[in-house]
């Protein structure tokens, strides 16, 4: 082996050790080298990228600007884009665009200029910034509404007090009726300010060690007495849950508020399922997925079979006065009060919903003694089972969740292909004989949702394993008429849960 070949191998090893994507090109914009990270980032085999123009990893608008920039640099020598980092958009093989930080360097070699681009994926950073911005917006609204509600409470106290003093001195029945109407309206106003205080986390709280199941049973008892028989209410309450610090009365009120919203969403009938369980958010992945601190929590999941919510509604569902109900049918404070109460308890609220498939709201309460919680399960998860170089096709329409799933499965020792829909996945399965398993979300747009894709795989590729995942409870799906003949991994799941599910999938065959 001569020195030049040795240097080439050394450069290749160096590039593949770099976690960020590195793409080299010549003056014509033809890719001369791409490292492994570039292949993973853009969804191409690095070897297939070589010989193509760098435009293949750019959206059309950016590709045109890039050609103009490079032509201008080559003609004038001005380094407007050389040696300066900037944020641009990248284009994956499946057509998805995503944010990138791009830095370009130049080196003159073999009589001509060559360019090196270092690209860092900003998707997770942008998602985190969006979550922080949403949280900051809710906090800002909370501060504003807290101040307004305080002033209105003082005014209403004066109004109610004077009306109560005035009523006994009136002998005219009509005048007394008018006072009573005014009192009723003022008391409704007082209830409204109580709701604003709850969202602003300024409502009086009587937090103490609380048994979650006792509070849930109390709320469920009331709901079963008041809900129409068309609405089926079931509960799956885990035994021996550790206590949490919260206000039991406010917790029951929160559950009732969620249930009333669910009933509204279910129209003429449906199923409501309340589930409690102990969860350990002890790995980075699930903490990112939920935007919640790591630790041990008691989770209450309230799932319904209603009409569901789109992404825009989910973004605003906890804002005070935001409602999708007709005028006069709701104040928009119910879920805002839930959010404020749970955050006041040191917990977190999540929403999982799809149009036409219902909604699941999760309430997370940190437990009192996390050191003694679920230690046996933690000890068993120190060395989760790993893959043996099998190839898993991940099918998920949410780009952020798909990126996270790819990273999780990669970390477990599997090769990964990805698709943003069941239809795209069917094409990949047709063209790639090396797929060993399909890991797909159940609810997706297109002709093939997750369940239809699973049936297609069983019928056409019986040697390929199938693992389903969903944010909905399995019994919710079964009550909607779905036949789940495959293993299902419920979101959000821990990395160890994913490792065990995939390992069991391959051991079963």
């Amino acid at each position: 082996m001569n020195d030049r070949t040795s240097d080439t191998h050394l450069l290749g090893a160096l590039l593949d050790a770099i976690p960020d994507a590195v793409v080299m090109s010549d003056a014509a914009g033809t890719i001369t080298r791409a490292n492994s990270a570039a292949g993973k980032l853009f969804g191409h085999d690095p070897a297939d990228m070589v010989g193509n123009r760098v435009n293949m990893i750019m959206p059309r608008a950016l590709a045109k600007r890039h050609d103009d920039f490079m032509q201008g640099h080559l003609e004038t020598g001005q380094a407007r884009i050389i040696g300066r980092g900037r944020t641009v958009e990248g284009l994956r093989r499946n057509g998805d665009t995503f944010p990138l930080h791009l830095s370009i360097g130049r080196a003159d070699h073999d009589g001509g200029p060559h360019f090196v681009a270092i690209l860092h994926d900003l998707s997770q950073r942008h998602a985190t910034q969006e979550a922080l911005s949403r949280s900051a917006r809710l906090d800002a609204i909370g501060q504003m509404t807290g101040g307004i509600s305080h002033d209105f409470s003082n005014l209403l106290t004066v109004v109610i007090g004077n009306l109560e003093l005035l009523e006994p001195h009136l002998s005219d029945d009509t005048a007394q009726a008018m006072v009573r109407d005014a009192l009723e309206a003022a008391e409704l106003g007082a209830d409204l300010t109580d709701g604003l205080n709850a969202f602003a986390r300024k409502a009086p709280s009587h937090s103490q060690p609380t048994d979650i199941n006792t509070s849930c049973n109390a709320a469920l008892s009331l709901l079963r007495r008041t809900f129409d028989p068309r609405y089926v209410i079931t509960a799956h309450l885990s035994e021996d849950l550790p206590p949490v610090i919260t206000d039991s009365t406010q917790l029951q009120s929160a559950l009732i508020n969620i249930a009333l919203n669910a009933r509204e969403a279910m129209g003429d009938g449906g199923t409501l399922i309340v589930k409690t369980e102990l969860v350990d958010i002890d790995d980075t992945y699930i903490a990112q997925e939920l935007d919640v601190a790591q630790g041990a929590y008691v989770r209450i999941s309230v799932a319904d079979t209603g009409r569901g919510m789109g992404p825009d509604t989910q973004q605003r569902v906890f804002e005070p006065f935001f409602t999708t109900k007709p005028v006069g049918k709701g104040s928009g404070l119910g879920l805002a009060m839930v959010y404020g109460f749970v955050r006041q308890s040191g917990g977190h609220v999540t929403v999982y919903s799809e149009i036409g498939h219902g909604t699941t709201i999760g309430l997370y309460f940190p437990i009192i003694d996390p050191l003694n919680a679920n230690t046996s399960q933690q000890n068993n998860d120190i060395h989760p089972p790993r893959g043996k170089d099998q190839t898993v096709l991940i099918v998920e329409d949410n780009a952020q969740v798909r990126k996270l799933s790819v990273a999780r499965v990669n970390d477990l020792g599997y090769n990964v292909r990805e698709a943003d829909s069941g239809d795209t996945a069917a094409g990949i399965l047709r063209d790639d004989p090396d797929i060993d398993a399909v890991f797909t979300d159940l609810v997706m747009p297109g002709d093939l949702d997750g369940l239809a894709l699973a049936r297609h795989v069983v019928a056409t590729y019986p040697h390929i394993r199938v693992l389903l995942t969903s944010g909905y409870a399995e019994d919710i799906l079964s009550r909607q008429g779905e036949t789940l003949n495959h293993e299902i991994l419920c979101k959000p799941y821990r990395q160890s849960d994913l490792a065990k599910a995939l390992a069991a999938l391959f051991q079963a065959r």
Side-chain angles (χ1 to χ4, degrees):
M1 182 182 295
N2 58 40
D3 291 343
R4 188 178 184 86
T5 302
S6 178
D7 289 345
T8 300
H9 288 167
L10 182 61
L11 175 61
L14 176 63
L15 290 176
D16 286 339
I18 298 174
D20 282 333
V22 179
V23 177
M24 298 182 178
S25 65
D26 59 20
T30 302
I31 298 175
T32 57
R33 191 152 205 155
N35 68 346
S36 298
K40 291 179 181 178
L41 182 61
F42 294 102
H44 296 277
D45 187 319
D48 294 339
M49 297 174 68
V50 175
N52 285 293
R53 301 201 68 224
V54 291
N55 294 24
M56 72 181 297
I57 58 175
M58 304 175 190
R60 182 177 299 176
L62 178 60
K64 177 64 170 64
R65 291 170 57 203
H66 171 268
D67 290 344
D68 294 341
F69 285 147
M70 295 310 298
Q71 186 63 31
H73 169 71
L74 293 171
E75 290 177 355
T76 66
Q78 293 182 352
R80 294 176 60 188
I81 62 171
I82 306 299
R84 300 180 183 180
R86 58 199 178 106
T87 299
V88 298
E89 279 195 330
L91 177 68
R92 290 196 171 95
R93 181 182 179 183
N94 61 11
D96 286 346
T97 58
F98 62 103
L100 285 168
H101 183 270
L102 168 67
S103 299
I104 300 178
R106 171 177 172 165
D108 293 314
H109 179 66
D110 287 341
H114 291 260
F115 300 93
V116 179
I118 300 176
L119 307 106
H120 179 73
D121 189 357
L122 296 178
S123 300
Q124 188 58 49
R125 180 186 297 180
H126 281 206
T128 301
Q129 289 173 344
E130 182 180 339
L132 289 173
S133 175
R134 185 166 60 251
S135 178
R137 184 175 72 250
L138 287 172
D139 285 343
I141 294 172
Q143 291 179 15
M144 179 187 70
T145 54
I148 294 172
S149 66
H150 173 76
D151 292 341
F152 267 102
S153 293
N154 289 338
L155 292 173
L156 288 169
T157 298
V158 175
V159 171
I160 292 172
N162 279 283
L163 287 171
E164 288 176 336
L165 291 173
L166 176 63
E167 185 178 10
H169 298 285
L170 296 174
S171 57
D172 183 76
D173 291 342
T174 302
Q176 286 187 342
M178 293 173 66
V179 168
R180 285 194 293 272
D181 288 344
L183 268 172
E184 184 177 342
E187 286 167 355
L188 286 174
D191 291 339
L192 187 64
T193 58
D194 285 343
L196 289 171
N197 278 327
F199 176 78
R201 305 176 213 170
K202 293 184 177 181
S205 177
H206 303 286
S207 296
Q208 58 186 354
T210 300
D211 182 285
I212 288 290
N213 285 348
T214 301
S215 297
C216 286
N217 279 323
L220 287 167
S221 177
L222 177 61
L223 292 172
R224 289 190 177 108
R225 289 197 304 269
T226 55
F227 270 36
D228 189 284
R230 294 174 299 168
Y231 303 96
V232 179
I233 301 175
T234 61
H236 304 286
L237 309 182
S238 298
E239 297 180 355
D240 301 323
L241 291 176
V244 302
I245 297 292
T246 190
D247 186 321
S248 178
T249 301
Q250 290 192 39
L251 173 56
Q252 293 174 47
S253 176
L255 293 173
I256 291 169
N257 263 311
I258 296 172
L260 292 174
N261 276 276
R263 183 177 66 179
E264 182 76 20
M266 289 188 288
D268 293 331
T271 300
L272 182 76
I273 295 179
V274 178
K275 181 179 181 180
T276 63
E277 58 192 319
L278 178 65
V279 295
D280 289 316
I281 300 178
D282 60 354
D283 64 61
T284 304
Y285 290 115
I286 196 169
Q288 289 177 358
E289 193 171 343
L290 297 179
D291 185 30
V292 61
Q294 297 186 36
Y297 294 79
V298 172
R299 176 174 63 197
I300 307 173
S301 302
V302 184
D304 67 63
T305 57
R307 57 180 175 265
M309 296 182 285
D312 292 341
T313 301
Q314 291 180 55
Q315 290 284 332
R316 302 187 59 195
V317 70
F318 296 120
E319 292 183 9
F321 304 118
F322 174 78
T323 179
T324 58
K325 298 176 183 177
V327 175
K329 295 295 184 180
S331 67
L333 278 175
L335 291 181
M337 292 167 62
V338 172
Y339 176 87
F341 152 66
V342 177
R343 296 291 282 181
Q344 191 175 29
S345 300
H348 191 74
V349 187
T350 61
V351 178
Y352 184 90
S353 187
E354 299 271 1
I355 296 292
H357 291 274
T359 299
T360 298
I361 293 181
L363 310 181
Y364 290 76
F365 296 90
I367 70 170
I368 295 175
D369 186 8
L371 295 178
N372 295 325
N374 215 16
T375 53
S376 60
Q377 182 175 351
Q378 291 176 4
N379 291 336
N380 292 333
D381 294 342
I382 294 174
H383 301 293
R386 296 184 57 78
K388 298 178 181 177
D389 211 34
Q390 299 101 328
T391 299
V392 178
L393 173 60
I394 295 174
V395 191
E396 168 64 61
D397 61 305
N398 184 300
Q400 182 182 347
V401 175
R402 185 172 65 252
K403 180 178 183 295
L404 188 60
S405 299
V406 168
R408 300 176 97 165
V409 176
N410 259 325
D411 281 355
L412 292 172
Y414 297 92
N415 300 315
V416 175
R417 296 291 305 277
E418 58 181 291
D420 59 0
S421 70
D423 304 315
T424 303
I428 293 175
L429 288 167
R430 183 180 60 247
D431 299 334
D432 190 342
D434 296 327
I435 302 295
D436 297 299
V438 173
F439 178 38
T440 178
D441 187 27
L442 268 172
V443 181
M444 288 184 299
D447 294 333
L448 291 178
D449 62 9
L451 194 59
L453 176 63
R455 291 170 178 153
H456 171 70
V457 171
V458 169
T460 313
Y461 312 98
H463 64 285
I464 295 179
R465 291 79 162 165
V466 177
L467 176 63
L468 303 175
T469 183
S470 175
Y472 299 108
E474 187 169 350
D475 40 6
I476 279 282
L477 293 163
S478 63
R479 289 169 192 270
Q480 290 179 319
E482 305 285 12
T483 304
L484 300 175
N485 295 321
H486 305 278
E487 291 297 320
I488 180 167
L489 189 61
C490 289
K491 298 177 182 177
Y493 48 81
R494 303 164 66 215
Q495 183 73 342
S496 58
D497 298 330
L498 176 61
K500 292 172 185 174
L502 288 173
L505 199 68
F506 289 106
Q507 290 169 2
R509 296 292 181 90

